[in-house]
Amino acid sequence: GYTFSVDVTPPGGITSTLDDVDATDNNSTPTIAFENVEEGAQVTVYSDAACTLSLGSETSSDETGEISIQTSALAEGILYTFYYLAIDELGGPDNTTSCTTTGLTYTFDATPPSTPSSIALVDPVTSPGNDNTPTVTVGGVTSGDTIHLFANSACVDEANLLESVTANDTTVGIAVPESLRDDGSYAFYAQAEDPAGNKSVCSGVLETYVLDT
């Protein structure tokens, strides 16, 4: 005789995380990683609690239970909450989850921070000096941003990066590591990087220090 089973149970136990991005980031198409997805089930991500605005979907093709869905392009500056529907390979309303929140929120931020407006020597306070680890203050910055101090006007190249410090006020002090080994003139440039990874324009030369030992 023939035997068959009836499956009217929608997929369950699905979990999700943001993949390689923070809750606020400069990636307009973030990826959401899902786990515990049964083989053959299709998961669709939405941006609304009614699950009508689809951002992308993927079908689980193996027994690992892991799939990744890269969203379509998101608008900047909007706080998104992600939801999903999952339907198993049998299909039909009885085999589809209700619209379920992932518990994940995300904001696409592609706006660079303002360029630091000032750099001033504080230790020593005058130049020339014989201190090869001078300290400067960088002004016109935003609390929470990371301020990079460079030795070149393009603010690029790790070899020219002198130090990075997270600001907790509108000014931040930065001690130059022991990297000024030879007597001569050194120009300092500053760049701000916000928590989303956006970087400001490199400041013009705002401070010059002459090392004379």
Side-chain angles (χ1 to χ4, degrees), residues 10-17 33-41 43 60 62-67 84 86 97:
I14 296 174
T15 59
S16 58
T17 57
F34 290 87
E35 295 184 342
N36 304 318
V37 181
E38 66 179 62
E39 186 175 2
V43 178
S60 175
D62 54 40
E63 297 178 353
T64 64
E66 299 177 354
I67 61 171
Y84 73 89
T97 64

Side-chain angles (χ1 to χ4, degrees), residues 77-114:
I78 295 176
L79 176 63
Y80 286 88
T81 299
F82 297 124
Y83 301 83
Y84 73 89
L85 285 176
I87 181 170
D88 69 20
E89 60 184 346
L90 296 179
D94 290 333
N95 299 84
T96 304
T97 64
S98 59
C99 189
T100 304
T101 180
T102 63
L104 303 174
T105 59
Y106 183 76
T107 302
F108 168 47
D109 176 7
T111 302
S114 299

Side-chain angles (χ1 to χ4, degrees), residues 21-27 106-111 113 144-145 193-199:
V21 291
D22 296 321
T24 299
D25 215 303
N26 59 4
N27 185 345
Y106 183 76
T107 302
F108 168 47
D109 176 7
T111 302
D145 285 357
E193 180 177 359
D194 67 22
N198 302 299
K199 295 180 179 180

